[in-house]
Amino acid sequence: MKTHLLALLVCAPLTLTSCGNLFKGLSTPEGDEQLLVAARGCMDRGDYNCALEYYQALSNNYGDVKVNETSLAKLANANVFKMSDLIGALGSSRGDGTSFATMGNTLAGRGIANATNRLLIQQTFTDNDAIGNTKLKAFSKFLSALSMANIVLAEVAGTDQILTASDLVVNPTSCKNAGAGCAGEPNCDRPASSAVVFTDGSDPAGMGTSSEWNGTATLMQFIIAADAANTQTSIFTGSGSNSGIFSAITQLAALGTAGDRCARQSLLTTLGL
């Protein structure tokens, strides 16, 4: 994709703008336009409960904006995802696999990686089905799927709340050196200190289903979320992408058939750990 990702974020119709609260002196905004400005003003100030109140007051004439930005406000209110998280992880480029590690570490540091927030993220993914505009819907669902992948990575991080190679495999160096022999390499096994298994045998059918997102996180949940993000990317970009963070998403989405050891090895290299 030739379009720079940051430009896409800025120009996309769903991107929150720094519009300010033009109606600061009004106690009760009236009409959709005033309500939307007030909601976005609350978002700018980080007052997400205030934003949610105004978004919910919007009429169906602003249905797509209401659903999309309510979803973003819910994720921000739970400290799960803010647009600044993504922009910070990408830096001045389109990002790469290391962007996932950066965002995972951000969530681990916030201490919000848990089943409750996984269920919240899944709900926003489903809520976005109500958006009529195809590309806006896909972009909003992409952000929910990306948030799910990141929160699972945050749960992989150890007690130091920093995601390292040793949180994924027994011996990172030996696992990487195994190359194509990863399936037979015990050093690519899950370390005893980690509770995040590859699969517990009852993983979600996809991001669109609310079942099996609670309980202990699994690497398969991460892969399912990456696959959903990859699917939505091809919709809102029109053709998908083979560069930057999108390329990493495509690689991560394909790990479902790799098996535990080889999936863990691929994660080490793709995430730059």
Side-chain angles (χ1 to χ4, degrees):
M1 181 182 71
K2 295 182 179 180
T3 304
H4 194 289
L5 178 58
L6 292 182
L8 176 62
L9 293 176
V10 171
C11 296
L14 60 91
T15 302
L16 297 179
T17 59
S18 182
C19 58
N21 189 350
L22 301 180
F23 301 93
K24 184 176 180 181
L26 299 179
S27 58
T28 306
E30 296 180 356
D32 285 330
E33 292 185 6
Q34 289 188 17
L35 288 167
L36 183 58
V37 170
R40 288 174 170 174
C42 293
M43 288 290 286
D44 289 343
R45 297 193 304 274
D47 189 344
Y48 304 117
N49 285 323
C50 163
L52 287 167
E53 179 181 349
Y54 286 130
Y55 281 132
Q56 290 304 309
L58 288 171
S59 74
N60 290 336
N61 292 331
Y62 279 67
D64 281 5
V65 172
K66 179 177 181 177
V67 175
N68 164 241
E69 297 190 20
T70 293
S71 174
L72 292 176
K74 286 181 177 180
L75 294 177
N77 194 41
N79 222 5
V80 166
F81 176 82
K82 302 172 185 177
M83 197 64 73
S84 58
D85 295 339
L86 177 56
I87 294 174
L90 295 176
S92 59
S93 67
R94 296 177 182 177
D96 54 26
T98 65
S99 300
F100 279 91
T102 298
M103 289 183 281
N105 280 330
T106 295
L107 296 190
R110 291 175 183 167
I112 50 80
N114 53 52
T116 297
N117 283 328
R118 270 183 268 127
L119 290 173
L120 169 67
I121 294 169
Q122 191 283 323
Q123 185 61 56
T124 65
F125 184 91
T126 301
D127 289 345
N128 286 323
D129 281 326
I131 298 174
N133 182 283
T134 301
K135 290 191 175 183
L136 178 58
K137 179 195 297 185
F139 195 89
S140 196
K141 296 182 81 167
F142 165 80
L143 293 179
S144 292
L146 184 67
S147 299
M148 184 70 83
N150 293 334
I151 204 168
V152 172
L153 277 185
E155 294 188 67
V156 175
T159 55
D160 60 355
Q161 297 183 322
I162 299 175
L163 181 66
T164 66
S166 296
D167 292 321
L168 279 168
V169 300
V170 171
N171 187 309
T173 300
S174 297
C175 181
K176 291 178 182 178
N177 290 340
C182 53
E185 178 52 69
N187 283 303
C188 291
D189 283 337
R190 171 176 59 91
S193 60
S194 174
V196 182
V197 298
F198 180 68
T199 175
D200 62 7
S202 57
D203 296 295
M207 279 289 297
T209 176
S210 61
S211 61
E212 309 304 337
W213 287 106
N214 56 347
T216 304
T218 67
L219 290 184
M220 189 60 75
Q221 289 178 351
F222 170 84
I223 295 168
I224 290 169
D227 182 59
N230 190 48
T231 298
Q232 300 306 318
T233 296
S234 65
I235 298 173
F236 75 78
T237 65
S239 60
S241 175
N242 59 359
S243 64
I245 191 173
F246 294 127
S247 176
I249 289 172
T250 299
Q251 295 174 44
L252 296 169
L255 296 182
T257 59
D260 190 354
R261 290 173 173 174
C262 292
R264 290 175 182 275
Q265 183 197 62
S266 293
L267 280 170
L268 291 179
T269 55
T270 305
L271 301 180
L273 298 176

